Amino acid sequence: MDTSQTPESAQLMEQILYEVKRVVVGQDRFLERVMVAMLAQGHLLVEGVPGLAKTLTVKTLADVVRGRFKRIQFTPDLVPADLVGTRIYNQKTGDFSTSLGPVFANLLLADEINRAPAKVQSALLEVMQERQVTIAGESHKVPSPFLVMATQNPIETEGTYPLPEAQVDRFMMKVLVDYPTDEEEYVIVERVTGPAVQVQAVATTEQLAALQAQCRNVYVDPSLVQYAVKLVSATRTPDKHGLKGLGAFITYGASPRATIGLVEGARALAMLRGRTYALPEDMIDLVPDVLRHRLVLSYEGLAEGLDADALIARIMGAITPPAKPLEHEKRAA
């Protein structure tokens, strides 16, 4: 079966984006990252103040692809059973039955994930990595496709639990969502206060699964994979890559999951842009999103007032991306 990109799949992605944008104003970059995560089968960590259409975007996308959408508000009193489900005893029959939790959805929104204790966060860990949950020793697979989008509030950090590194690493990207422009805000107010927009379901979860399969076949040149390896390696051993003194600011660098995320993300972005091969700019666009949550800064780095984005910019400045593939190479790809 040939899974190279067809005009139908490009048209389908265009229709999905068009439908979502009928409801969501602006946020193009954020929406693009959500689509990249869906195609690359990765999870998304989103940071932004309340009221920036994070929930609306994911719910609308679920409606457009006829997927099941669930939202969980994370609170300090949440227990793992509230997330994955539990065993219920039926007094009449004397049997136990399994009640599945809200994680059994195609698009799961974990709102304010850092407000729940470690026990709940670790329950989400298994679902994100294994795409299954274990209740009373029995495994239950979550539906496919499956995407977790977790939100974090950058303000009001009182009463929050920092996410453990192991969990943060399972998010393919961390996206920062900013305020809309004045023009966008005007349109938002007009749209929200005007007649309600009904979105059309233009795709199915089966079609989405087919798009994910096509995404795996997007060609990534070995030189581009090498570039991803160098970037991630530079977060661990900056001195080896000519970044003297940068090592003092980083306690831990990124794991191999970051390298995989860069390659898979470049594939998905290339496919969104209508190509069957990835170009250096596809990967370059995603580097900050894939790496920013994986760098653990040292006390020296924090004392200098640095953040992960500033360090990533220095690393990207020191490592030269590969040249664009030549025309004949494109055809071969």
Side-chain angles (χ1 to χ4, degrees), residues 222-231 283-284 316 319-322:
S223 64
L224 208 49
V225 179
Q226 198 64 51
Y227 176 58
V229 170
K230 277 183 189 165
L231 282 170
M283 190 174 283
I284 289 163
M316 288 176 77
I319 293 168
T320 317

Side-chain angles (χ1 to χ4, degrees), residues 108-121:
L108 176 71
L109 183 76
D111 233 341
E112 298 202 82
I113 190 172
N114 52 343
R115 292 210 176 277
K119 215 177 203 176
V120 179
Q121 292 176 2

Side-chain angles (χ1 to χ4, degrees), residues 2 24-25 34 51 54 56 91-93 96-97 127 149 161 174 232 238 250 269 276 288 296 298 304 332:
D2 178 31
V24 182
V25 180
V34 175
K54 301 186 290 288
L56 182 68
Q91 278 187 319
K92 280 184 185 170
T93 60
F96 281 94
S97 61
V127 194
M149 195 180 107
Y161 301 81
K174 179 181 178 182
V232 175
I250 303 171
L269 200 50
T276 54
V296 179
S298 65
E304 290 279 330

Side-chain angles (χ1 to χ4, degrees), residues 109-156:
L109 183 76
D111 233 341
E112 298 202 82
I113 190 172
N114 52 343
R115 292 210 176 277
K119 215 177 203 176
V120 179
Q121 292 176 2
S122 62
L124 194 60
L125 250 176
E126 185 194 1
V127 194
M128 288 168 66
Q129 187 62 31
E130 314 298 337
R131 285 176 161 72
Q132 64 172 34
V133 299
T134 308
I135 303 168
E138 217 177 299
S139 292
H140 302 267
K141 288 220 168 294
V142 292
S144 179
F146 177 69
L147 167 74
V148 173
M149 195 180 107
T151 68
Q152 269 191 172
N153 196 335
I155 50 177
E156 256 198 299

Side-chain angles (χ1 to χ4, degrees), residues 167-333:
Q167 178 151 22
V168 166
D169 196 33
R170 277 167 172 80
F171 286 102
M172 181 184 169
M173 292 182 282
K174 179 181 178 182
V175 184
L176 307 179
V177 183
D178 210 352
Y179 288 112
T181 62
D182 289 358
E183 292 79 10
E184 285 168 349
E185 197 153 347
Y186 180 84
V187 180
I188 290 167
V189 174
E190 269 200 324
R191 206 172 280 188
V192 173
T193 55
V197 178
Q198 290 296 316
V199 293
Q200 302 293 315
V202 294
T204 61
T205 49
E206 288 78 17
Q207 284 174 303
L208 190 58
L211 288 175
Q212 289 176 338
Q214 283 184 19
C215 185
R216 302 286 308 198
N217 281 37
V218 170
Y219 177 76
V220 180
D221 194 75
S223 64
L224 208 49
V225 179
Q226 198 64 51
Y227 176 58
V229 170
K230 277 183 189 165
L231 282 170
V232 175
S233 168
T235 67
R236 302 171 199 152
T237 50
D239 289 5
K240 283 186 187 171
H241 297 271
L243 289 150
K244 292 272 182 279
L246 202 67
F249 302 137
I250 303 171
T251 309
Y252 297 108
S255 75
R257 276 202 192 101
T259 319
I260 295 163
L262 283 172
V263 175
E264 297 284 19
R267 267 187 176 142
L269 200 50
M271 188 169 163
L272 268 181
R273 290 169 175 175
R275 280 185 268 104
T276 54
Y277 52 88
L279 290 177
E281 59 255 36
D282 298 323
M283 190 174 283
I284 289 163
D285 281 359
L286 293 173
V287 173
D289 294 325
V290 174
L291 293 183
R292 70 163 59 94
H293 55 300
R294 291 185 160 103
L295 297 191
V296 179
L297 270 66
S298 65
Y299 288 121
E300 289 95 322
L302 296 168
E304 290 279 330
L306 293 169
D307 61 4
D309 283 37
L311 296 175
I312 292 163
R314 281 173 65 178
I315 289 167
M316 288 176 77
I319 293 168
T320 317
K324 273 194 188 183
L326 299 170
E327 212 56 48
H328 67 274
E329 285 180 327
K330 285 183 194 174
R331 279 198 290 274

